[in-house]
Amino acid sequence: MPRIKDIAQICKSKNAGPFMVTIDVLFEDPHLYRQVKATGVLNAALFAKLYGVAEADVLFTPYDAASAFKATLPRLVPAGDIGDTDVYGAQQHAPLLDVEIPLNTLPR
Amino acid sequence: MNEYRMLSTSGILGYGYAEESLKIGMTWEPHVIGCDGGSTDPGPYYLGAGKSFTSRLSVKRDLRLMLLAAVAARIPCIIGTSGGAGGEPHLQDTAAIVREIAREEGLSFRMALIHAEQSAETLIHYIDAGTTRPLARMKPLDAETVRRAERIVGMMGPEPIARALDQGAQVILAGRSSDPAQWAAPAIRAGLPPAPSWYAGKMLECGAEPTVPKEPDNIFLRVRPDHIICEPPNPIRRSTPLAVANFALHENSSPIHHTEPGGMLDTTDCVFEAVSDRAVKISGMTWTPAETYTVKLEGVERAGYRAITICGTRDPVLISQIDDYLETHRSKIAIKAAAFGVPASDYTMVVRTYGKNGVMAGWEPETEIRSHELGFVIEVVGKTQDIANAVVAMARTSMLHADFPGRLCKEGNMAFPFSPSDIELGPMFRFSVFHVVAPRDPYEMFPIEYETV
């Protein structure tokens, strides 16, 4: 079964303000994006599980125009506060890379 | 007007760009050039300390080329969020660089400084009037939080910038401003609708980010009544629909709703189309004016003083029991600090373990350590710098010399790469104000000063 890292063109994280981190997955091929969207694997519950936050705290938005999924969730520690490990929030995407997507047909 | 052209030189003033890009871009006859000066992204320190996260040398280089180009073409040059954080010291430092360049190059122009730092009295007045509201998970704003803050800035919209243009300023240095505002201002003022003007601002705010290969450089936007065209001047880069779509998601909690001081940009129905192999047309954006004009506030307070030390181990016996070792280390430090008169309540110590979970901390799903070496950054935040220095010094010694079961490396457990090993980081700030305020108009929080340089 393909994983996100096998089929997405972009998978990244970044601050959305000092208190939130936002994680994006983009596909170059809108057809593949629609297939991934149809599996329903990417949703708020998945991000809540991967990052150990409440599902209600995850703002999950598929963005058809960009063939992209976006999830925004509260940071563990506000940017730059005591114990923060990632001031820019740029390296919090990795747990998503191994998420398996049950596609019927493998991407070209 | 059917087309308004804007050139942004880089992601952040001081991040650099190719001089050749600006030369090419200027032949495309922009109506305005500029660059975003900063963001909250580098964290709370810079706003608190009144310093920039960019270097003076690099900012001066970027600005010099821009001022020369703008004066030669007789067009405005606008800098948003001057000096990195857009507070008063940041604005003044940027103005000093501009004056210095003008002297060196024999340039003369009318300059506007738009102030964004907010006094405690002003903000308390807004609090008393009931016009503030918390963002994220902040508590409602109160007078005590405002008085405790080291520095608070308001994030201006396009209106004060447009007013400075009306008053004939050719160089505009804005304090903290919404990233797209410096671009929305001249485009809307030129008669283009708000939707494409704001969207163009979003594409311009980070320079060549909506291109491949993506690195700090120029980007050029053509704003037309119902769409915009994004194209990089540098021939080695291309704007592609994927690069533009990727950037459309940048640093926003929602990909479709972008809240700005005077309204909301909705990108739900946007269409990204390649118009050549290096230019992208974006259409379908809409703008809904807000019922109430709001200004975002950003403020930081001093949370203590910080010192750190960096070390690493290559010892497999120690790596196999690292969690226990660090726990013992922590309790030893508590005892030794108490012995020299520093109770545990006077400091916080955090050890980041690289090779284990130094990047993701509590979010790290991997539990097994597979690395043959581990790196440590020990952070101590104390009530005073002396306390932070003393505790980090003890933490360093203890990391190096503490015993552990099965220890073979009896001379020392850690490799320290530097002498001095302890690094004093000075005051530590945290974000304490992240609210919005509803001023009576878009101008009252952002006074404009004019001067002839």
Side-chain angles (χ1 to χ4, degrees), chain A residues 10 12 14-15 18-19 22 24 26 51 57 59 63 65-66 70 72 74 76 79-81 83-85 87-88 92, chain B residues 41-42 44 137-138 245-246 249 251-253 255-256 267 270 272 306 352 358-360 363 379 428 430-431 434:
Chain A
I10 294 171
K12 60 172 188 173
K14 189 74 196 280
N15 289 348
F19 302 100
T22 188
D24 302 326
L26 280 84
Y51 291 90
D57 289 338
L59 174 66
Y63 183 33
K70 179 183 265 299
T72 305
L76 272 181
D81 212 332
D84 182 23
T85 56
V87 171
Y88 293 80
Q92 305 303 316
Chain B
D41 227 31
R137 295 174 162 188
M138 306 301 284
N246 173 47
L249 299 165
E251 286 180 358
N252 239 304
S253 49
I256 50 176
T267 59
C270 274
F272 309 105
R306 188 182 253 153
R352 292 167 186 73
V359 172
M360 296 195 67
W363 279 352
E379 169 193 21
M428 183 247 154
R430 65 160 57 106
F431 286 107
F434 200 61

Side-chain angles (χ1 to χ4, degrees), chain B residues 19-330:
Chain B
E19 190 170 352
E20 190 60 22
S21 303
L22 183 56
K23 276 194 188 140
I24 295 169
M26 291 307 291
T27 68
W28 298 355
E29 301 185 331
H31 296 96
V32 62
I33 65 170
C35 194
D36 182 8
S39 133
T40 53
D41 227 31
Y45 175 79
Y46 302 95
L47 178 58
K51 293 177 182 167
S52 180
F53 58 90
T54 51
S55 78
R56 192 175 200 277
L57 283 178
S58 183
V59 167
K60 193 173 172 186
R61 179 268 180 189
D62 282 5
L63 254 180
R64 183 192 304 274
L65 298 176
M66 293 170 70
L67 292 173
L68 287 168
V71 170
R74 301 178 177 221
I75 57 170
C77 175
I78 306 176
I79 304 300
T81 309
S82 296
E88 198 53 25
H90 310 91
L91 183 62
Q92 294 302 339
D93 285 352
T94 309
I97 297 173
V98 170
R99 293 185 199 109
E100 201 172 287
I101 294 168
R103 259 198 317 277
E104 290 167 6
E105 300 290 344
L107 302 176
S108 181
F109 41 76
R110 190 163 153 84
M111 178 161 79
L113 265 56
I114 312 180
H115 302 273
E117 188 163 328
Q118 306 297 316
S119 72
E121 298 72 57
T122 305
L123 295 175
I124 289 166
H125 167 79
Y126 287 128
I127 293 169
D128 291 344
T131 61
T132 66
R133 169 168 69 77
L135 291 173
R137 295 174 162 188
M138 306 301 284
K139 285 184 252 173
L141 195 57
D142 57 30
E144 195 194 330
T145 304
V146 166
R147 286 202 191 92
R148 214 171 47 227
E150 187 82 8
R151 192 181 320 284
I152 301 174
V153 290
M155 189 189 278
M156 74 182 76
E159 294 81 1
I161 298 167
R163 177 170 285 181
L165 288 169
D166 289 342
Q167 296 297 312
Q170 186 178 9
V171 174
I172 299 175
L173 304 182
R176 182 63 171 134
S177 46
S178 167
D179 290 352
Q182 68 177 100
W183 307 106
I188 293 169
R189 184 173 169 273
L192 274 301
S197 300
W198 277 101
Y199 202 103
K202 295 203 82 62
M203 287 291 112
L204 286 152
E205 59 151 293
C206 273
E209 287 234 7
T211 71
V212 282
K214 170 179 116 101
E215 54 188 328
D217 203 352
N218 291 190
I219 193 74
F220 195 95
L221 264 287
R222 294 165 194 276
V223 187
R224 296 174 184 159
D226 63 348
H227 69 272
I228 61 176
I229 306 271
C230 179
E231 183 174 5
N234 192 330
I236 69 161
R237 294 183 213 296
R238 299 184 303 127
S239 272
T240 63
L242 178 66
V244 168
N246 173 47
F247 189 63
L249 299 165
H250 177 70
E251 286 180 358
N252 239 304
S253 49
S254 160
I256 50 176
H257 296 141
H258 305 266
T259 307
E260 294 295 345
M264 191 184 67
L265 180 69
D266 190 318
T267 59
T268 306
D269 297 322
C270 274
V271 179
F272 309 105
E273 294 165 85
V275 290
S276 74
D277 65 349
R278 60 191 316 280
V280 174
K281 174 183 169 184
I282 308 155
S283 57
M285 61 289 272
T286 59
W287 173 261
T288 312
E291 276 179 30
T292 309
Y293 192 93
T294 54
V295 167
K296 194 199 247 184
L297 299 173
E298 293 166 355
V300 297
E301 64 185 22
R302 197 177 293 221
Y305 295 80
R306 188 182 253 153
I308 63 167
T309 188
I310 301 168
C311 55
T313 184
R314 180 63 180 79
D315 187 82
V317 184
L318 178 53
I319 290 173
S320 72
Q321 53 184 290
I322 195 62
D323 289 347
D324 291 343
Y325 182 78
L326 291 177
E327 209 179 299
T328 309
H329 175 257
R330 178 174 294 280

